Amino acid sequence: MASSGDSLAESAKRRLKLWDISDDQIRTLEETGQAKKTLTLYSPFKGFVLEKSAYKGMSVMPGMSLFKLADLSVVWLYGDIYEYELPFIRLGQQASIQLTYLPGETFTGKLIYIYPSLNPETRTAKVRFEIPNLQGKLKPEMYANVEVKVHLGQRLVVPRGRLLIPVFGDWPFLIRAMAILNRER
C-alpha cells in the first residue's frame, strides 16, 4: 500500500511541476499537508508586463494568454530603408541611434534582419536592428533617428580631366563650375 501512495504522491508532484509550480510551493504543500485553493504562478523569465488579460477570479483554460511579458534588456528597432539604398545595406552593419528625448546620447545597434518585400506606397523595405538596453532607457514604440554608415571605398566622383589642382593648396576645383561662376559675375 505504501508504494502506491508514494507513486501517487510522485505523480502529483510531476503534474504540479508541469504546471510550473515552484519547488518551494510543492515543499510547502508536502510539509503542511494542506491543499490550497489557489497557487501563485511565477513567470519563467524576468521582464516587464506589457499587457494584462488576467483578472482576479477569472477562469483559465490551457493555451490562454494571460500576460504579455517582454525582456527589455535587448530591444528591436524597426526602420525603413529606401529602395535605392538597399544595395548598400548588409546584415551585421552597425547603426547609430539617437532619440529626441535623450539629446546628445547615442546608442549602437546591429542590423539583424532585412525584410524581403517593399512597401509599394513608400518604396521602402523594413529592417530590424538589435540594441542593448541594459540601463532601460529605450522603451517600446519610441521613435528614433538611425544612421548607418556605409563604406563605399575610394571613388572618384568627377572625371580627372575636369579637376584643376592649384599650386597654393590641395583643394580640387571643377573647371566647369569655375566657368559657370565666372559667367554669372
Side-chain angles (χ1 to χ4, degrees):
M1 263 327 203
S3 70
S4 70
D6 289 342
S7 67
L8 186 60
E10 285 302 314
S11 174
K13 269 180 157 175
R14 276 195 306 275
R15 186 175 293 173
L16 289 172
K17 282 193 176 284
L18 287 173
W19 291 338
D20 293 327
I21 305 301
S22 72
D23 291 334
D24 290 339
Q25 289 174 307
I26 294 172
R27 197 173 310 108
T28 303
L29 285 171
E30 286 178 323
E31 290 170 358
T32 62
Q34 297 290 320
K36 291 188 170 186
K37 207 173 192 181
T38 60
L39 287 171
T40 302
L41 297 176
Y42 295 97
S43 172
F45 65 93
K46 294 179 183 179
F48 295 91
V49 176
L50 299 181
E51 288 179 17
K52 178 184 170 195
S53 306
Y55 55 89
K56 189 175 182 177
M58 176 178 157
S59 175
V60 178
M61 299 299 291
M64 284 179 68
S65 177
L66 303 177
F67 296 93
K68 186 176 181 180
L69 304 174
D71 175 10
L72 298 177
S73 63
V74 175
V75 296
W76 285 353
L77 182 142
Y78 295 97
D80 292 321
I81 302 290
Y82 288 108
E83 180 179 15
Y84 68 88
E85 296 172 330
L86 283 174
F88 307 112
I89 301 299
R90 301 277 181 265
L91 292 178
Q93 280 180 308
Q94 297 294 312
S96 297
I97 294 112
Q98 295 173 340
L99 306 168
T100 53
Y101 100 104
L102 288 172
E105 190 162 352
T106 301
F107 299 87
T108 302
K110 183 170 79 171
L111 183 64
I112 60 169
Y113 189 71
I114 302 170
Y115 285 77
S117 61
L118 292 177
N119 179 332
E121 294 163 5
T122 61
R123 304 307 301 166
T124 59
K126 286 267 184 234
V127 293
R128 184 171 63 218
F129 296 93
E130 188 174 74
I131 308 161
N133 188 28
L134 300 177
Q135 295 177 345
K137 292 181 180 180
L138 302 172
K139 314 278 188 246
E141 305 302 326
M142 288 180 129
Y143 284 100
N145 293 317
V146 178
E147 182 179 304
V148 178
K149 293 192 178 176
V150 178
H151 179 67
L152 298 175
Q154 293 183 347
R155 297 179 182 191
L156 186 61
V157 179
V158 294
R160 282 200 185 275
R162 299 280 184 190
L163 289 176
L164 174 66
I165 301 178
V167 290
F168 58 86
D170 59 354
W171 297 97
F173 292 93
L174 278 173
I175 296 173
R176 180 182 284 176
M178 287 175 51
I180 292 170
L181 289 175
N182 287 337
R183 262 190 266 147
E184 290 177 0
R185 287 185 185 179

